[in-house]
Amino acid sequence: EVQLVESGGGLIQPGGSLRLSCAASGFTFSSYWMHWVRQAPGKGPVWVSRINSDGSITSYADSVTGRFTISRDNAKNTLYLQMNSLRAEDTAVYYCVRFSGIITWGQGTLVTVSS
Amino acid sequence: EIVLTQSPGTLSLSPGERVTLSCRASQTVTGSYLAWYQQKLGQAPRLLISGASSRATGIPDRFSGSGSGTDFTLTISRLEPEDFAVYYCQQYGSSPFTFGPGTKVDI
């Protein structure tokens, strides 16, 4: 069974940093582009970032460029999102998603940026 | 960036009714890479349709998708009580991948 499990969310003060992880199983992780999508409370989903299969190509939404870094460890079947200089507007549930092949979402991890 | 517009914003319906949701793109969606999701409060989006018309595994056949280019439709042939939710369309053919604002299907 294809599965994506996010972790690392929590309450963080504005200006702080957090690293999210997404553990993948049930498929050949190293063959797929992977993405992060977030959803603020009461709002629709918004794409955040993507990374290609070997980690050499990345792209970001304008709202997070320069503050967030996506990466992956194919040996550990894990996707990461390093989030720096966090702002209140980054408060959201963060989902790890595979959009190629059978679209698959994780259950999400909540990040709350508040003092 | 491809902007997706969904209409209507909210629909108030009754169980048993047929519903058609619209999703219009500002540019052609490459390869008809258009997905539909259902979302209930506190849950992750649930994939209903990918590739504009392919039902995801386990999705009842009362859900169907159609369309190409810039105009796409999700049809629920007969509403069940569990279908009352928010529905989002999303294009994943061109980066940045974008979502529509959603249609709420209400009782």
Side-chain angles (χ1 to χ4, degrees), chain B:
Chain B
E1 172 176 323
I2 296 178
V3 176
L4 299 178
T5 303
Q6 290 186 245
S7 60
T10 303
L11 270 176
S12 294
L13 298 166
S14 301
E17 289 194 80
R18 178 185 179 89
V19 57
T20 300
L21 307 182
S22 173
C23 176
R24 180 162 290 177
S26 61
Q27 309 167 39
T28 295
V29 174
T30 303
S32 289
Y33 288 126
L34 192 287
W36 288 94
Y37 300 92
Q38 177 194 70
Q39 190 174 35
K40 299 180 181 178
L41 201 60
Q43 297 182 14
R46 175 195 185 198
L47 178 68
L48 299 174
I49 302 287
S50 62
S53 60
S54 297
R55 247 186 327 272
T57 301
I59 301 303
D61 61 8
R62 64 179 181 274
F63 291 92
S64 63
S66 64
S68 63
T70 60
D71 288 296
F72 299 88
T73 298
L74 175 71
T75 300
I76 310 172
S77 60
R78 188 178 173 84
L79 273 172
E80 297 289 339
E82 62 267 28
D83 299 337
F84 291 92
V86 179
Y87 293 83
Y88 295 100
C89 61
Q90 181 227 350
Q91 68 82 21
Y92 55 104
S94 305
S95 184
F97 295 176
T98 49
F99 293 82
T103 292
K104 184 176 182 181
V105 177
D106 224 341
I107 297 179

Side-chain angles (χ1 to χ4, degrees), chain A residues 49 55 58 80 91 103:
Chain A
S49 181
T58 60
Y80 301 102
T91 293
I103 295 175

Side-chain angles (χ1 to χ4, degrees), chain A residues 45-61:
Chain A
V46 175
W47 176 84
V48 172
S49 181
R50 70 173 181 172
I51 187 167
N52 73 333
S53 56
D54 68 5
S56 61
I57 301 172
T58 60
S59 58
Y60 301 91

Side-chain angles (χ1 to χ4, degrees), chain A residues 20-71:
Chain A
L20 306 183
S21 299
C22 169
S25 60
F27 65 103
T28 306
F29 179 71
S30 60
S31 296
Y32 290 87
W33 286 69
M34 295 297 298
H35 303 253
W36 288 99
V37 172
R38 70 184 181 183
Q39 187 170 23
K43 304 293 186 182
V46 175
W47 176 84
V48 172
S49 181
R50 70 173 181 172
I51 187 167
N52 73 333
S53 56
D54 68 5
S56 61
I57 301 172
T58 60
S59 58
Y60 301 91
D62 290 345
S63 58
V64 306
T65 296
R67 300 188 300 123
F68 289 13
T69 302
I70 190 172
S71 63

